């Protein structure tokens, strides 16, 4: 590693540490245990998981869990990209070191996707239609409520349409990945 590269890397690490300290300072003053926003985030984390425990179809739990994990992963990727690029911001977080909303990314969104998928399967409905409706609800109703409550900010030209594209992309990618693994399982006996 050359001297210029090492200097630049050291500078980036120093800036990253300053950034982390600034977020921790902000979190301790405005977003930790003494705020109602913190406890709302706790609710966004715990309530969906408790609900899932009671309503998940246990015969399809592994399948739905795989799908839910896929939605979680892609949701985090999209959320982290948007937050790191300054397209959106979560002023109140459970974990100050992450650029994303831990509660929404880990529990609220994946469990929502899973329960809708379970319902669609049980009632033999069109997955793409219901995920488009869910994406519209999240983008054009839920997120504007979060903006009004100052729990979420859109910046740098990002819009609710941007969010709709993100939510829809997660639904499509997770479904397609799940379908690939279902296909692999079905063809496993033929190898």
């Amino acid at each position: 590693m050359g001297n210029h590269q090492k200097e630049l890397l050291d500078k980036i690490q120093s800036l990253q540490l300053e950034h982390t300290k600034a977020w921790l300072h902000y979190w301790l003053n405005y977003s930790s245990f003494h705020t109602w926003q913190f406890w709302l985030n706790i609710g966004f984390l715990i309530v969906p998981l408790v609900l899932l425990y009671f309503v998940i179809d246990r015969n399809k739990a592994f399948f739905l869990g795989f799908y839910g994990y896929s939605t979680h992963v892609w949701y985090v990727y999209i959320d982290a990209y948007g937050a790191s690029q300054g397209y959106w911001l979560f002023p109140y977080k459970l974990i100050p070191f992450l650029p994303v909303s831990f509660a929404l990314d880990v529990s609220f969104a994946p469990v929502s996707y899973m329960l809708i998928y379970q319902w669609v399967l049980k009632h033999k409905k069109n997955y793409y239609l219901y995920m488009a409706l869910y994406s519209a609800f999240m983008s054009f109703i839920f997120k504007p409520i979060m903006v009004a409550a100052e729990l979420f900010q859109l910046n740098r030209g990002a819009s609710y349409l941007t969010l709709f594209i993100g939510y829809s992309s997660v639904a499509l990618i997770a479904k397609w990945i799940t379908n690939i693994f279902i296909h692999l399982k079905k063809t496993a006996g033929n190898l």
Side-chain angles (χ1 to χ4, degrees):
M1 179 180 308
N3 285 340
H4 180 66
Q5 180 183 359
K6 179 149 179 36
E7 287 174 16
L8 185 57
L9 193 57
D10 289 344
K11 182 179 178 181
I12 292 169
Q13 184 178 30
S14 176
L15 290 170
Q16 186 173 353
L17 289 172
E18 283 182 43
H19 178 257
T20 300
K21 287 178 187 175
W23 265 113
L24 181 59
H25 177 74
Y26 172 86
W27 185 83
L28 288 170
N29 287 298
Y30 302 106
S31 186
S32 69
F33 312 105
H34 65 281
T35 67
W36 66 267
Q37 294 93 341
F38 175 85
W39 296 104
L40 180 65
N41 275 316
I42 289 287
F44 281 145
L45 178 67
I46 294 173
V47 170
L49 295 173
V50 170
L51 177 66
L52 181 66
Y53 177 81
F54 288 107
V55 300
I56 193 167
D57 180 344
R58 285 174 168 47
N59 292 322
K60 295 179 181 160
F62 190 77
F63 163 73
L64 292 167
F66 179 84
Y67 169 82
Y69 186 73
S70 293
T71 61
H72 155 71
V73 168
W74 287 100
Y75 196 91
V76 167
Y77 289 159
I78 290 171
D79 203 11
Y81 174 78
S84 70
Q85 296 301 306
Y87 291 120
W88 48 78
L89 174 70
F90 295 94
Y92 304 98
K93 305 176 184 188
L94 283 180
I95 302 175
F97 311 111
L98 300 176
V100 299
S101 172
F102 182 78
L104 295 179
D105 292 2
V106 169
S107 179
F108 185 82
V111 169
S112 299
Y113 280 96
M114 289 170 68
L115 294 179
I116 293 168
Y117 192 26
Q118 176 176 286
W119 184 86
V120 163
L121 290 171
K122 182 177 180 180
H123 297 283
K124 298 181 182 1
K125 300 293 182 180
N126 184 309
Y127 172 86
Y128 300 101
L129 171 65
Y130 283 90
M131 281 303 164
L133 292 172
Y134 173 71
S135 297
F137 168 79
M138 290 297 289
S139 304
F140 303 116
I141 297 172
F142 182 73
K143 284 296 170 97
I145 291 170
M146 287 188 65
V147 167
E150 298 181 339
L151 298 169
F152 182 70
Q153 294 176 3
L154 286 171
N155 304 310
R156 298 188 62 218
S159 67
Y160 296 116
L161 180 60
T162 307
L163 299 177
F164 177 77
I165 292 167
Y167 282 110
S168 298
S169 297
V170 168
L172 292 173
I173 294 168
K175 175 81 162 96
W176 296 339
I177 289 172
T178 302
N179 287 351
I180 288 169
F181 279 88
I182 289 170
H183 174 74
L184 290 174
K185 182 179 179 190
K186 287 179 181 177
T187 59
N190 299 334
L191 296 177

